[in-house]
Amino acid sequence: MIAILTYLIRIRFRKLFGKEDYLAISLLLTGIGVLLYFANKNYSHYANFSLFFIFDIARLHFNRKDIELLKLNPNFNTIFFLEYSIYSFPILVLLLINQKFIAVVFLFLFLLLISRIPKISQKPFRYPFKMFDPFWAVSFRKNRLLFFFPLIFLFAYMGFQYNNENLYYAVLVFFAVIACIPSFKREELIHIKASCYIGKNYLFQQYKAVCFNCIYFGILLALLFAVLQQWFLIALIPTLLFFPMLNLLFKYAFFERKIVHSIFFTLFLGNIIYGFPLLLIPFIYIKAIKNLNKIQNA
């Protein structure tokens, strides 16, 4: 059972790390530790959001393709439970440190329940996205991003009900995060090389796809804020395009290593309030174009 668990955890992160890339693993563990430290320092502000981690576990369970294979093991439910418990370890530590024992019990009960629910078979939903970047449809289908929209609507309603502007801003953050997810995917090199668009033209087509695809759920968000009469927030929605467009630059500037892309993008956003990271955008753009030209001329 331990061997199976080790293998499952290893393949869970195989897209982030190269073989025996201990530096990347150390950076990830350090990042988790830092986030855990700051989350504990500000736990009173984010206590109500800590258990939303269960949505990610549910997404993980319903997206996995190895359920039928693991069912060949008589202890497959225990394997699922232990894997999800390891995955939830940072949240469990955070709850235990703050003596939220009822929440810990609730989380364990949820893990027991989700580990015994079979995978739900669903008919594929056709997304109306511009397919120059197919990872929009892939990300929405694979990560079940559509299921996060009821949560977004709930946050907006709670913000209206309790007159809490922070919940409105949380909705905008959800929008930005969802728009950034497709840019963390990588197309095959042959697809870039075979494109009739070269260098900056290829990047421009990607930008057009980002704008076109964001319009669909941006309209839904605008209608939601219109119903709640939050006109200022509607004006903020177009400015959120900055984040997926910036992430696209980082994608092609650091195309070879996904983990480096993620780290630099996170550092950029973490320091953007100071203004100086914005001065780096022209250099990131030049690096992205050079990298695309290098790939297409290789």
Side-chain angles (χ1 to χ4, degrees):
M1 185 181 297
I2 301 235
I4 295 176
L5 275 173
T6 304
Y7 179 74
L8 289 174
I9 294 170
R10 185 183 302 165
I11 65 174
R12 185 66 58 198
F13 297 101
R14 67 186 176 186
K15 293 183 179 180
L16 291 176
F17 311 125
K19 185 177 182 181
E20 299 180 355
D21 191 348
Y22 297 114
L23 175 61
I25 295 173
S26 301
L27 288 172
L28 175 66
L29 294 177
T30 303
I32 291 174
V34 170
L35 287 174
L36 197 60
Y37 172 79
F38 284 107
N40 182 54
K41 284 287 186 181
N42 302 279
Y43 184 78
S44 59
H45 297 286
Y46 304 106
N48 295 329
F49 301 100
S50 59
L51 286 179
F52 279 112
F53 187 74
I54 64 177
F55 287 97
D56 194 49
I57 297 174
R59 177 195 62 79
L60 178 66
H61 181 75
F62 292 126
N63 282 332
R64 65 188 310 157
K65 300 178 181 179
D66 56 356
I67 290 181
E68 296 302 324
L69 179 62
L70 289 173
K71 279 184 177 180
L72 298 176
N73 189 302
N75 300 315
F76 72 94
N77 286 326
T78 305
I79 292 172
F80 288 149
F81 174 74
L82 292 176
E83 181 188 358
Y84 298 148
S85 297
I86 294 171
Y87 189 49
S88 309
F89 182 74
I91 299 298
L92 289 170
V93 170
L94 184 63
L95 294 174
L96 287 172
I97 290 175
N98 290 276
Q99 300 181 356
K100 303 295 181 180
F101 302 115
I102 294 178
V104 171
V105 172
F106 173 80
L107 183 55
F108 272 120
L109 288 175
F110 171 78
L111 295 178
L112 282 170
L113 176 64
I114 198 71
S115 62
R116 296 178 180 276
I117 295 178
K119 183 176 180 179
I120 300 175
S121 59
Q122 298 176 338
K123 294 183 179 179
F125 177 78
R126 185 178 178 84
Y127 294 97
F129 294 135
K130 188 176 180 65
M131 293 306 293
F132 187 86
D133 183 358
F135 291 114
W136 278 82
V138 170
S139 297
F140 267 75
R141 184 174 294 117
K142 184 176 181 181
N143 299 313
R144 300 294 195 272
L145 295 180
L146 211 58
F147 292 153
F148 284 90
F149 280 83
L151 180 63
I152 291 175
F153 296 151
L154 176 62
F155 269 58
Y157 175 75
M158 290 172 61
F160 177 76
Q161 190 75 14
Y162 299 105
N163 196 23
N164 189 339
E165 291 186 355
N166 291 329
L167 291 175
Y168 290 138
Y169 293 128
V171 170
L172 296 177
V173 169
F174 269 116
F175 177 94
V177 169
I178 290 174
C180 285
I181 288 176
S183 297
F184 284 107
K185 308 294 184 181
R186 263 43 174 182
E187 60 264 46
E188 296 292 336
L189 293 179
I190 189 62
H191 295 157
I192 301 178
K193 293 179 180 180
S195 176
C196 60
Y197 299 101
I198 306 299
K200 64 180 181 180
N201 291 326
Y202 183 87
L203 185 62
F204 178 68
Q205 293 300 318
Q206 291 283 4
Y207 276 140
K208 285 175 60 178
V210 168
C211 293
F212 186 88
N213 294 335
C214 282
I215 286 174
Y216 285 107
F217 59 102
I219 289 175
L220 291 177
L221 200 58
L223 290 174
L224 175 63
F225 285 142
V227 171
L228 300 178
Q229 299 182 352
Q230 300 297 319
W231 312 113
F232 174 70
L233 295 175
I234 295 177
L236 287 180
I237 292 175
T239 64
L240 296 177
L241 282 173
F242 170 78
F243 298 102
M245 289 183 172
L246 179 67
N247 196 32
L248 201 61
L249 276 185
F250 276 92
K251 170 184 175 178
Y252 291 112
F254 304 100
F255 193 82
E256 294 80 7
R257 298 195 68 184
K258 186 176 180 180
I259 186 67
V260 176
H261 161 201
S262 302
I263 292 172
F264 275 92
F265 182 63
T266 303
L267 289 174
F268 189 100
L269 293 183
N271 294 279
I272 199 171
I273 58 173
Y274 301 111
F276 69 86
L278 298 174
L279 301 175
L280 301 176
I281 291 179
F283 299 100
I284 300 170
Y285 173 79
I286 293 171
K287 181 174 174 57
I289 297 301
K290 287 183 177 179
N291 213 13
L292 281 170
N293 287 325
K294 179 181 176 182
I295 292 171
Q296 292 177 321
N297 294 325

